[in-house]
Structures are given as structure tokens and as C-alpha cells.
Amino acid sequence: MSGLKVVALISGGKDSFFSILHCIANGHDVVALANLHPPLKHGKEAVEDLDSYMYQTVGHAVIPLYEQALGLPLYRQGIVGAALNQDKSYGPATGLADADEDETESLIPLLRKVKAAHPEVNAVSTGAIMSDYQRTRVESVALRLGLTPLSYLWQWPSLPPRTQASLLEDMAGVGQDSRIIKVASGGLDESFLWQNVADRRTVARLTKAAQRFGSSTDGAVLGEGGEYETLAVDGPGPLWKASIVLEEDHRRVVRGEAGSVALHLREPRLIPKSKSEEDTAAPRIPPLLDPVFADMLGRLRTGATESQDTSDPLPAESTHFDMAASMYTDGVARLLSGRTGDGQTVAAQMQSIMESLTTDTSNLLPHAGLASIIYTTIILRNMADFAAINPIYGSYFTSPNPPARVTIACANVLPDGCDVMVGVTCLYSPSLYGAAERHALHVQSRSYWAPANIGPYSQAVTLPISSGTEAGHIVYIAGQIPLVPASMALASSGIGLVSHDHALQTVLALQHLCRIGEAMSVRRWIAAVAFVTHSSSDSTPTLPQMARRAWLALFNSEPETHNEADEAEDFDVWNITHRAGHGALQAQGTEPNGPPAFTKHDPPPMWVVRVDALPRGASIEWVGYGTTKDDIPSSEIRHLHYFLNVFRQRIL
């Protein structure tokens, strides 16, 4: 796969520069740097430290030197406006009347300037690690400009070896030198200023501070809540052509509000590197599989796992859910199943279906309309028709966090003359339209974590189990196929054995399901469906057997500790910190040992269903349902009933 041409957004901080190294390690070509600086004061002098929710501005006077230090053209633009839209997720549809005055929109003229000078640019790199607030804003702008967002550091603390310190250790491993230039937390003081954040002693001190005032799981060690800010002054060759030096008498301590302390920097200078200094190691790339799933893969390939069929079906009375009824309402959920449309083409039928939902006069959808939909399934007669229906579907979901979605092709389950059928589950109870009751995850950046969802569907969306919040939420997760997250290519063992490819794809797609479940605070799995495309003669053991073995192995792995603090759903340190102002770290819990994060219990029911085709030519797609608190039976998932009835003749 050919590499992308990347413009790297830089703030001066450690993460944006380390992300550049990972862009290069993944075969991309970084052709330009871009930076937003504070507005000019009195026409010529910029504000030293703008209180921005989005952009780091302290130390901005050093930014111009990066052009020479890295040998890359630098483009800059002043920040205009303020954080008018303070929602966790961002998109044009969520903006206010004067959306252009939101500080996020300052990225648009900056990136347009870069594209004008470098028409080949087709991707943008950012250093986002845990903040949905920052990531979704960059994604919104990038995708509107036709740029692929790259966030290779996203969810780094949840990747092997699953410690926050690992990111700082990896920075030290390649020789990146980033100095702390501001502290804004009760756990940090002036003594941290100008320390290399990746130095072993500094990492130990940051970890100790997090244990006292925060936790090693909430991003405090990495400064994700604004606890501190950094300035990169050196790094590995051949990226860094020179080091940035600031003499001690050119670093002045400035005390700010709420106990914050920063350095005012002046007269920085460059020291060119010698050729010998350019020979450095590439950054460590996290392994594709967590240890639990790597062990699972080995067991599948060797056949060590018992071939136990875990497809415990629903009770007979539950599987006879009335398919003739196109609507089923139960508490807070409403299912509209088997929706078909008029027209001679698949595009016309899809348009008809969406219009019928939008202009419904029978009150099938509640008054919130399409915004109430949390989960959709699309069944096509031919997967080749996906390109025709996807833009139509997407045009009806323009707000951030569209419904989670499953797409499959299976001709013989569709009525005659029907090329596409849609089922939706929506939030029905009129009292539950508040954003607090609908949590979603929509990551559109490439990373090492899980596949990016570029387009009109979220990785997961939740639905309240009941009208009270104590019972928790059901988590509906989008269908997961075995894409390598960093490249978005279909996973392959590379050794030409079908059975090995099937084993890798089975495990990788299941890991995606679990990582998304962990991010959505899933504590118990309710049920799963593995859609497969290959016949039983394709490999030994068969793909259906592999899917069942993998599901069983997931619940037979070693138990993990459970972090009670993680039960706070919709938790975003950056967003919470800035909404409340710069404050001290908040006490949290302890760090879990590793995946999977759900509470161990007996394997829930799972089914294997053979279909004609899956997206991207995948051989398996995992569909899963979880709960954030209480255990509930799979019979409560009405959309699962719908699936089982549609595919009742194709369950293996």
C-alpha cells in the first residue's frame, strides 16, 4: 500500500513530534508542518499563553525554529475565536450560529494554505492520545478537507504493555527530548520545569504524583488533563537536523492563575546535528495483538482449544419473535425491523427506506427522528452495491456520533425484488432524549488501537437498560472485521495458509470488539454473532469452529483486576478539566493488569451465521452486545432476535 503525504500539526509538545515518527515508521511521507499560534497583541506581539481548550500555545515563540530543526516547511495561522462549542464530540452540525468563530475552525485556513502549497498532501497527523475533545475536532476539519486523519498515539495506554509510562519510555528509546515548560496541577510544582519528560527520574516523579492526586489510568502521567505541557527540543535523526537550545538565563519562571507555573522562553538557537547523530532506532510499534489474543491465536493454530460449540440458542419461545411485526417497543427501546423500499435500483430503494423513516407519519420513530436511532443493520443482495447505498445512508446522519452499524450481504434472506433491507433500534422513551443517556464512540483516525470508522457509523452507541440510570446501558457495537488498524488493510498471516489467515482474522476482529467494549465500559458481554463467508471445506479446523473456540477462549483466559473508577462512563479528562478550569488531579482507582477489561463470567451465547459476503472481502465479522453494569439475558436484545430470525436457515 502506497504511503500518504502528510501535514503534521505541531504545537511544540511531545506528542505531535512522536506522532510524526510513527507516520514515517508506517511508510508515510511527512511533507510539511502546520501550527496555530495565539493572536497578535496590539498588532505585533502574540499573547504568551492563550487559555485555549484546543491548542497548546505556551512556548509558541520557539515554533519557527522547527522549520530548520526538522528541515520541513512550516505554515502558521493565528487562532481566531474561542471554544464556543464545548461538546465532547465536534462536527459542523453541532456548531452555533457563528460556527466560524469557534477556535476549531481556525484549522481550516491553515490546512488550506498547506494544500495550496502542497497539492499532494492527503493526510494530517495529530498527537491525540486520550482526548475525544481534541481528536474529534481535528477529524471534523480534516475530513471536510478530504484529508485522512492519523492519530497513531490514540489510546496508547491501553495498548501492550498497557502502561502510560510506556509512551514516555518509547520517546526516551528513540532519543526524543521534550522539556516540561508548564505545570498546572496540585501534584506538580516548579521543580518539574525544564525537566526532560521522558527521563526515567521524571517519569517516576510523574507516576508518583498521579498515584497521589490522580491515577495511572486517567492520562495524568501523560499530561492529558492539562497537568503539564512540554516543548520538544531534540529528537532522532534523520527527522531532526538540529537541536534547539535555550540557555538558563533565557528561561524565566512566570506564575499564573490557580497555582500554574510556566517558563517564558527567549532567544532560542539551533545546534546542527552531525551525520553520526542521525543513525537512530525507529520507534517501537505496538504489537498487533494483546497477549491474551496472541495466546488465543496460538491455540487456534495448534488446535489446543477444545472444539466446544458455545452457540447456546435463545429459548424456543424467544426465537419465535414475530418477524411480521415491523415494530417492537420495549421500555426505552424500539425496533423497526425489515424495512424495505420502492424502486428499480438499490440506490432508489435505499433512498425510499431513509425517506420513509424521515417523513414517517405513523410515529414509528419518536419525535427526535433519525437522531434517536442508535443501531442499524443493512442487508444487501450484493456487496458490490455498498458503494451505491452508503452515500445515501450517510447523507441522513450528518451530526457527530451516528448510529453503530452492521453491513452484510446475503441474497436468499431478502424478499423477491428487494436489494436492500434495513433494521433500526432507536431510543424510544420521550424522557430519555438527553445527551447524557446516549454515549457513543466514533474514532475516524488511523491508529494502532482499532479500525477507523470513516463514514456514517460509530464504533459503538449505548442504550439505557431502563428509565433509571442505575441499571446501566446496553452497548451496541458496530460489526468488526479484521482490518489492521494502522493501515486499514485486511489482515494476512503472510505465509499463504488459509487456516492461518482465518485464525488471525478471527482473533483480530474479536480483539477489535473487545477493545471497543473496553472503551465503552463494557463489564459483561450479553451475546455475539460471528458472520462468516467460507464453507466448511475451506480449512481445517473450519472458520465456524475457530469462531466458537475463540469466543470460549476469551472467557477462559486469566482473570483481570477490575478498575471501579472506569465505571464513570463518557469520561474525558481533557474535556472535564477544561470545563471546570485548570484544577488538581482527581483521585481515581488503580490500574487494571490488561485486557479483556470485562468482568469474568461464563461464556454468553454466540451464533455463527454464514452469509454471502462481508465488507472489504473479509471472511469474518464479529457483532457483539454488552452491558456496563447489570447482567441481562440475550433475549432482551430485540435486534438480536431480528438477526436470528432473518438468518434462521443459515445458522451453523
Side-chain angles (χ1 to χ4, degrees):
M1 181 179 292
S2 59
L4 299 169
K5 301 296 183 180
V6 181
V7 52
L9 296 178
I10 62 168
S11 62
K14 64 184 186 332
D15 305 323
S16 55
F17 286 92
F18 198 57
S19 187
I20 292 175
L21 293 177
H22 281 274
C23 288
I24 296 171
N26 280 277
H28 306 312
D29 183 16
V30 178
V31 300
L33 308 174
N35 168 258
L36 285 167
H37 62 76
L40 297 179
K41 183 178 181 181
H42 305 307
K44 47 185 174 181
E45 183 182 354
V47 177
E48 173 62 25
D49 185 9
L50 181 69
D51 187 17
S52 167
Y53 283 23
M54 181 68 180
Y55 310 113
Q56 173 181 316
T57 59
V58 62
H60 68 87
V62 178
I63 300 293
L65 273 67
Y66 289 125
E67 185 164 34
Q68 292 176 268
L70 274 64
L72 291 169
L74 170 66
Y75 299 85
R76 305 191 75 193
Q77 185 83 21
I79 299 171
V80 177
L84 301 181
N85 178 354
Q86 297 177 19
D87 292 343
K88 175 182 172 182
S89 298
Y90 184 87
T94 64
L96 304 177
D98 298 324
D100 290 344
E101 296 181 9
D102 191 287
E103 64 178 1
T104 298
E105 300 300 303
S106 298
L107 279 170
I108 291 181
L110 173 64
L111 292 176
R112 282 177 175 164
K113 184 189 300 184
V114 175
K115 290 185 69 176
H118 303 272
E120 73 278 15
V121 166
N122 54 11
V124 59
S125 168
T126 178
I129 300 174
M130 297 174 69
S131 174
D132 289 315
Y133 185 95
Q134 294 173 305
R135 174 186 55 76
T136 60
R137 280 154 174 76
V138 174
E139 288 174 347
S140 173
V141 171
L143 293 170
R144 278 184 273 157
L145 296 178
L147 301 173
T148 298
L150 306 175
S151 297
Y152 286 113
L153 307 189
W154 180 249
Q155 291 295 318
W156 194 279
S158 70
L159 304 176
R162 294 180 64 84
T163 66
Q164 290 184 74
S166 68
L167 179 60
L168 301 178
E169 292 163 358
D170 288 335
M171 291 178 180
V174 296
Q176 178 168 302
D177 186 348
S178 303
R179 301 302 177 100
I180 297 175
I181 57 172
K182 179 180 178 180
V183 292
S185 165
L188 309 176
D189 57 27
E190 183 179 330
S191 66
F192 281 87
L193 295 178
W194 206 244
Q195 299 301 305
N196 182 347
V197 71
D199 178 79
R200 180 172 296 184
R201 182 173 177 271
T202 305
V203 173
R205 294 181 67 201
L206 289 171
T207 302
K208 184 177 180 180
Q211 290 171 345
R212 289 181 58 203
F213 295 94
S215 102
S216 54
T217 63
D218 64 6
V221 175
L222 299 173
E224 278 293 277
E227 293 83 7
Y228 64 85
E229 293 178 358
T230 60
L231 182 76
V233 296
D234 198 2
L239 176 61
W240 286 76
K241 310 297 190 297
S243 304
I244 297 173
V245 176
L246 285 133
E247 305 297 345
E248 185 175 356
D249 57 353
H250 294 161
R251 307 192 302 265
R252 178 170 59 88
V253 175
V254 178
R255 303 191 182 280
E257 298 178 356
S260 66
V261 186
L263 288 175
H264 176 77
L265 307 173
R266 61 185 181 86
E267 299 182 30
R269 60 187 179 89
L270 293 170
I271 298 180
K273 288 179 174 288
S274 64
K275 288 293 182 182
S276 61
E277 292 178 289
E278 293 190 1
D279 297 327
T280 56
R284 179 187 72 90
I285 292 180
L288 181 63
L289 297 175
D290 290 326
V292 167
F293 293 95
D295 178 68
M296 183 189 298
L297 176 61
R299 295 166 70 185
L300 288 187
R301 286 177 171 173
T302 60
T305 306
E306 291 296 326
S307 180
Q308 179 175 342
D309 186 347
T310 65
S311 56
D312 179 22
L314 294 175
E317 63 272 21
S318 296
T319 57
H320 292 300
F321 176 62
D322 185 6
M323 278 293 295
S326 64
M327 179 180 71
Y328 186 93
T329 303
D330 182 13
V332 300
R334 172 173 278 181
L335 168 68
L336 308 182
S337 64
R339 307 288 289 186
T340 59
D342 299 325
Q344 298 301 310
T345 67
V346 66
Q349 292 176 23
M350 191 67 187
Q351 187 79 49
S352 175
I353 293 170
M354 299 309 296
E355 278 300 307
S356 70
L357 291 173
T358 304
T359 61
D360 166 61
T361 58
S362 304
N363 197 32
L364 295 180
L365 284 180
H367 70 260
L370 296 182
S372 66
I373 297 175
I374 59 105
Y375 187 65
T376 69
T377 53
I378 299 176
I379 304 174
L380 293 165
R381 185 170 296 277
N382 191 326
M383 188 56 73
D385 291 332
F386 177 77
I389 63 99
N390 192 49
I392 296 171
Y393 174 90
S395 68
Y396 288 85
F397 297 104
T398 58
S399 297
N401 301 327
R405 187 177 74 181
V406 178
T407 304
I408 48 186
C410 195
N412 68 358
V413 301
L414 296 177
D416 291 342
C418 172
D419 295 315
V420 58
M421 185 165 69
V422 176
V424 306
T425 289
C426 61
L427 184 64
Y428 172 65
S429 175
S431 64
L432 294 174
Y433 291 139
E437 296 297 342
R438 186 186 190 274
H439 310 300
L441 182 67
H442 189 201
V443 179
Q444 301 181 85
S445 299
R446 289 193 195 178
S447 67
Y448 299 116
W449 170 71
N453 281 7
I454 302 294
Y457 67 104
S458 297
Q459 275 91 355
V461 182
T462 68
L463 181 75
I465 293 175
S466 66
S467 57
T469 58
E470 293 78 9
H473 291 74
I474 297 172
V475 181
Y476 291 79
I477 298 179
Q480 296 300 307
I481 61 175
L483 298 177
V484 177
S487 65
M488 294 297 288
L490 198 64
S492 171
S493 65
I495 60 177
L497 292 178
V498 173
S499 62
H500 279 228
D501 281 350
H502 284 176
L504 174 59
Q505 292 180 9
T506 298
V507 171
L508 180 59
L510 183 58
Q511 176 178 275
H512 296 335
L513 187 79
C514 289
R515 282 186 174 177
I516 294 168
E518 180 182 7
M520 296 299 290
S521 300
V522 165
R523 293 301 169 218
R524 293 184 70 89
W525 290 104
I526 301 168
V529 179
F531 290 99
V532 300
T533 60
H534 291 269
S535 66
S536 59
S537 61
D538 289 328
S539 61
T540 303
T542 69
L543 192 52
Q545 287 175 331
M546 285 185 178
R548 293 189 181 101
R549 292 176 181 180
W551 188 247
L552 179 64
L554 183 64
F555 295 88
N556 287 341
S557 58
E558 289 299 316
E560 312 293 345
T561 58
H562 173 49
N563 182 5
E564 297 293 339
D566 285 344
E567 296 214 0
E569 300 171 25
D570 212 28
F571 182 73
D572 186 330
V573 177
W574 180 273
N575 193 27
I576 291 174
T577 300
H578 281 72
R579 293 290 289 273
H582 292 290
L585 299 172
Q586 301 297 311
Q588 299 289 337
T590 57
E591 181 179 5
N593 292 333
F598 56 86
T599 304
K600 292 297 178 179
H601 55 100
D602 292 336
M606 68 88 68
W607 292 262
V608 179
V609 176
R610 181 173 295 137
V611 295
D612 298 340
L614 297 170
R616 303 285 296 274
S619 59
I620 187 168
E621 178 174 357
W622 282 97
V623 173
Y625 310 91
T627 176
T628 60
K629 284 190 178 180
D630 296 343
D631 185 22
I632 66 174
S634 58
S635 57
E636 294 297 315
I637 309 297
R638 297 295 170 176
H639 218 113
L640 177 61
H641 287 233
Y642 166 55
F643 262 150
L644 296 178
N645 278 277
V646 169
F647 294 103
R648 56 189 177 274
Q649 301 300 323
R650 302 185 69 88
I651 297 176
L652 301 177

